[in-house]
Amino acid sequence: MIEFPDLPYAKDALAPVISARTLEFHHGKHHKKYVETANQIIAGTELENEPLETIVKKAAADPAKTALFNNAAQVWNHNFYWQCLKHGGGGAPTGAVASKIKEVWGSPEKFFEELKNAGVSQFGSGYAWLVLEGGGLKVTKTANADNPLVHGQKPLLAIDVWEHAYYLDYQNLRADYLSAVIDKLINWDFVNSCLAS
Ligand code: MN
């Protein structure tokens, strides 16, 4: 049984960057539906009591389990995305990840530019990510439910660029949503905790 976690903050905590109405739909309808559908698929199967990460990896490895992968990975992605954001976050990276970003990109600005480009250039639905791969940091993008975990990468930061993540607040202006999240919401403590884990 896959859990449907509460948001780690109040629904209006990320406003005005992400409105309470967006979170009401994004968490309360979209995220919830992914949990319900994934649970329907695993009910009575050998995956029923497996941890979510195991379900995601096993479904990714089995072409007959595409629907399960899509829904279970979307649960994982949303559980992760909520934690990547916080009221009063954003701006310059802090802690150990700040040093690593400086090593790779030279400055936070260059890193943000690449992260934003990844999100803007993702055609259709998906995510922009900061991941750890072979000990080094890398910016990536994935389509739909796809997730770095199944590509041998460790996710450190995710920004959801599905239209449901920003359309109520920014309409078609995905770049404005990405800039606002980067400037005001990234939870660097969480990113550092992922790096350390
Ligand atoms: Mn989403």
Side-chain angles (χ1 to χ4, degrees), residues 152-166:
Q153 300 163 332
K154 182 179 191 176
L156 303 178
L157 167 67
I159 305 181
D160 189 337
V161 297
W162 283 59
E163 285 187 347
H164 65 222
Y166 61 86

Side-chain angles (χ1 to χ4, degrees), residues 26 78 127 160 164:
H26 196 175
H78 286 88
Y127 297 82
D160 189 337
H164 65 222

